[in-house]
Amino acid sequence: MAGGFVSQTPGVRNYNYKLTPKVFVTCFIGAFGGLIFGYDLGISGGVTQMEPFLEEFFPYVYKKMKNAHENEYCRFDSQLLTLFTSSLYLAALVSSLFASTITRVFGRKWSMFLGGLTFFIGSAFNGFAQNIAMLLIGRILLGFGVGFANQSVPVYLSEMAPPNLRGAFNNGFQVAIIFGIVVATIINYFTAQLKGNIGWRISLGLACVPAMMIMIGALILPDTPNSLIERGFTEDAKKMLQSIRGTSEVDEEFQDLIDASEESKQVKHPWKNIMLPRYRPQLIMTCFIPFFQQLTGINVITFYAPVLFQTLGFGSKASLLSAMVTGIIELLCTFVSVFTVDRFGRRVLFLQGGIQMLISQIAIGVMIGVKFGTVGTGNIGKTDANLIVALICIYVAGFAWSWGPLGWLVPSEISPLEIRSAAQAINVAVNMFFTFLVAQLFLTMLCHMKFGLFFFFAVFVFIMTIFIYLMLPETKNVPIEEMNRVWKAHWFWGRFIPDEAVGVSAAEMQQKSV
Ligand code: BGC
């Protein structure tokens, strides 16, 4: 594929690269890093619906679920049960902060490897769990794995990919996440039908498969040219760049990487530096994008789709089946982003997806409100329940080509090398913190806010869509080490970027972009 689409930001260079098999295979394997996160996201909701699992570890919830039919909104409300799901995200938050140093000092691939290893050990703890303690220790280890992988993989993909295809390659991470979710949901569907404890053990234990895939992948993958230069292997970096770009003419990009690395050497403390005014746009974006991604409310669907569908009156099997359908739709629609993100750009997808989510959320809230009211009793007819499932699919599709993949892509591509690892760690930490909050609070919120919960998330989707419209410049096709120019040309952020970072004044940049 020729490097067709060009950047529109003034002063930004365009390297004209072909897509090489090497970069394709490398990024394909690198994207496996999303599998562990996805597998876990997909398995937890289903396992916490399995009666033998609840009976074994959460007898109180089990009893309540068996008896209660009086208030649909509150059927599954239990802090301990949600702690099982959400403890992972706190662990991931903590480990992403450590991962940033390993990613910077030892290279991206070792963080990926460590991620696979800790996830592997966690899956053994969970599969063989005899008590709540083993279950929680396992979850925490899985969380460490997710933190390491999510901190390193998006950066790895963004650095390896040719600039004009960076969006597509980076979106491979989200494709892997959703693939993991779908596989996990299918596994749950079958294991839920097994008698006794074997079902949930298989579901939790099989997490070792994606863990092994990322471990083996990390061992055979080369490190990125950016990271090799950062760690002083300049010659190796040049050879690596030539081989992944499929040409010996990489001097311009190589020089950009060297310059970026020189700049980066001035910075001894990435964590302190990211607080400097010149990194304000990146800091704000790496905090707000993951915050908003979680406040779309997507994980209400990811974790609790089976619960939600049961609440709507579906049987346990039909609920898992519906969760499978939403997962498959999410997977297919993520490809829309893969194929359009470098052509139409990030902003168009963010804005279109946001509007689609907003409309469908309001419609879902209205429908559930009309059927269950505030009391939360009543039965929903088959046609209405199906209509709600259809609306959920429209919402999921909107997320799948916007905030899902772009929530990982944009933060990984907007920061200069000297703060990139720290910025990505912040991205993961904020993402995990709000994933934790939503996971922990959703069932209680559903119990108290009832159908209003959907309006709650809709308000945030409205705010985030305006935020993107005003504050996020287009980054498609811009070489990753040239990103400062994009910020410099932005109407608001331009004032924070010093002239020497791009060699021109903000006024000149903005004039050129008119
Ligand atoms: C989000 C997760 C979400 C997943 C699937 C990811 O991009 O970070 O929180 O569960 O997509 O929808």
Side-chain angles (χ1 to χ4, degrees):
M1 202 185 301
F5 324 123
V6 289
S7 154
Q8 287 132 12
T9 308
V12 168
R13 278 193 274 270
N14 295 293
Y15 320 125
N16 206 18
Y17 292 129
K18 293 193 206 73
L19 172 59
T20 62
K22 174 150 184 174
V23 82
F24 182 83
V25 171
T26 307
C27 288
F28 183 81
I29 298 175
F32 285 0
L35 288 177
I36 58 174
F37 184 32
Y39 187 83
D40 189 82
L41 285 164
I43 218 74
S44 313
V47 166
T48 51
Q49 288 314 289
M50 293 181 189
E51 296 195 1
F53 176 83
L54 290 174
E55 220 180 335
E56 179 88 18
F57 297 111
F58 303 93
Y60 162 77
V61 184
Y62 178 68
K63 242 195 262 147
K64 192 168 162 200
M65 175 183 135
K66 278 273 159 209
N67 301 334
H69 263 284
E70 65 280 9
N71 187 343
E72 296 294 338
Y73 292 124
C74 300
R75 265 173 93 177
F76 293 95
D77 185 15
S78 154
Q79 289 298 314
L80 195 61
L81 181 61
T82 43
L83 191 63
F84 166 74
T85 304
S86 55
S87 55
L88 183 146
Y89 303 100
L90 285 186
L93 186 167
V94 174
S95 74
S96 69
L97 304 178
F98 293 112
S100 110
T101 308
I102 294 181
T103 303
R104 188 166 44 88
V105 178
F106 298 103
R108 284 66 174 130
K109 61 183 269 176
W110 290 112
S111 284
M112 289 158 73
F113 180 79
L114 266 179
L117 185 64
T118 40
F119 200 84
F120 184 83
I121 303 172
S123 67
F125 264 89
N126 270 353
F128 295 111
Q130 300 300 323
N131 46 44
I132 284 252
M134 273 183 88
L135 209 58
L136 283 182
I137 293 172
R139 275 273 335 129
I140 290 169
L141 287 168
L142 295 179
F144 283 158
V146 168
F148 272 100
N150 288 14
Q151 194 279 337
S152 49
V153 174
V155 169
Y156 182 87
L157 296 173
S158 281
E159 289 181 343
M160 273 292 179
N164 53 319
L165 293 170
R166 189 176 56 242
F169 278 107
N170 188 292
N171 283 1
F173 179 64
Q174 178 75 4
V175 170
I177 294 177
I178 313 292
F179 186 74
I181 294 179
V182 172
V183 170
T185 320
I186 294 172
I187 290 174
N188 271 344
Y189 181 73
F190 289 106
T191 57
Q193 297 169 39
L194 300 174
K195 294 260 174 300
N197 282 335
I198 188 73
W200 63 262
R201 286 195 192 283
I202 295 180
S203 287
L204 296 181
L206 278 180
C208 69
V209 177
M212 282 190 294
M213 286 170 75
I214 167 170
M215 272 196 285
I216 297 169
L219 286 179
I220 57 177
L221 286 179
D223 227 321
T224 66
N226 317 50
S227 171
L228 288 168
I229 294 179
E230 197 178 26
R231 290 180 290 128
F233 304 109
T234 316
E235 271 312 301
D236 295 347
K238 183 148 193 185
K239 282 193 207 118
M240 176 57 58
L241 192 62
Q242 288 169 332
S243 101
I244 56 175
R245 301 293 182 245
T247 165
S248 55
E249 284 153 37
V250 293
D251 289 352
E252 257 191 310
E253 185 179 9
F254 189 65
Q255 193 52 48
D256 269 352
L257 300 192
I258 296 278
D259 294 347
S261 163
E262 288 304 316
E263 285 258 329
S264 143
K265 288 206 183 96
Q266 325 275 329
V267 173
K268 286 278 167 286
H269 305 287
W271 287 103
K272 224 157 76 190
N273 271 273
I274 200 168
M275 300 298 163
L276 293 174
R278 64 176 291 183
Y279 301 120
R280 199 52 43 83
Q282 291 89 348
L283 181 65
I284 299 286
M285 288 297 159
T286 42
C287 289
F288 273 84
I289 290 183
F291 162 74
F292 281 141
Q293 191 206 47
Q294 289 310 311
L295 268 291
T296 56
I298 187 65
N299 280 327
V300 166
I301 308 294
T302 320
F303 301 141
Y304 300 115
V307 178
L308 199 65
F309 293 133
Q310 284 204 36
T311 303
L312 292 177
F314 287 30
S316 163
K317 214 165 146 186
S319 297
L320 286 177
L321 203 61
S322 312
M324 217 144 82
V325 171
T326 49
I328 290 170
I329 290 189
E330 188 168 2
L331 182 62
L332 294 178
C333 293
T334 306
F335 281 100
V336 173
S337 183
V338 170
F339 292 114
T340 58
V341 69
D342 293 309
R343 186 182 296 264
F344 302 139
R346 286 63 167 150
R347 281 171 56 84
V348 170
L349 291 176
F350 265 130
L351 299 178
Q352 191 286 332
I355 294 169
Q356 183 167 325
M357 284 192 287
L358 181 65
I359 295 172
S360 42
Q361 269 168 329
I362 294 174
I364 296 168
V366 168
M367 282 212 57
I368 297 188
V370 169
K371 294 296 159 190
F372 284 152
T374 47
V375 191
T377 50
N379 257 328
I380 218 159
K382 214 171 169 202
T383 324
D384 287 333
N386 286 338
L387 187 59
I388 295 179
V389 175
L391 284 169
I392 289 176
C393 290
I394 295 175
Y395 160 78
V396 165
F399 176 85
W401 56 64
S402 63
W403 282 89
L406 305 184
W408 294 104
L409 165 64
V410 172
S412 77
E413 67 178 5
I414 55 173
S415 290
L417 188 62
E418 63 267 23
I419 56 157
R420 190 170 302 145
S421 284
Q424 181 64 6
I426 294 178
N427 177 39
V428 178
V430 175
N431 195 308
M432 293 300 133
F433 180 71
F434 286 99
T435 307
F436 163 78
L437 265 195
V438 171
Q440 192 63 30
L441 295 183
F442 165 69
L443 292 177
T444 311
M445 282 165 87
L446 180 66
C447 183
H448 292 100
M449 293 172 76
K450 307 179 167 86
F451 60 88
L453 188 58
F454 293 93
F455 299 130
F456 170 83
F457 287 120
V459 168
F460 277 98
V461 172
F462 178 74
I463 297 172
M464 67 187 80
T465 307
I466 306 276
F467 175 82
I468 292 294
Y469 180 74
L470 293 175
M471 306 308 275
L472 185 76
E474 183 53 65
T475 50
K476 74 167 176 178
N477 306 321
V478 177
I480 192 162
E481 308 301 355
E482 296 241 319
M483 214 47 91
N484 267 338
R485 293 174 181 272
V486 173
W487 295 112
K488 187 77 179 170
H490 187 263
W491 69 272
F492 180 76
W493 299 120
R495 69 196 75 175
F496 290 95
I497 311 294
D499 292 352
E500 66 272 13
V502 290
V504 230
S505 74
E508 277 176 275
M509 289 294 285
Q510 276 161 21
Q511 218 169 19
K512 282 187 195 175
S513 64
V514 179

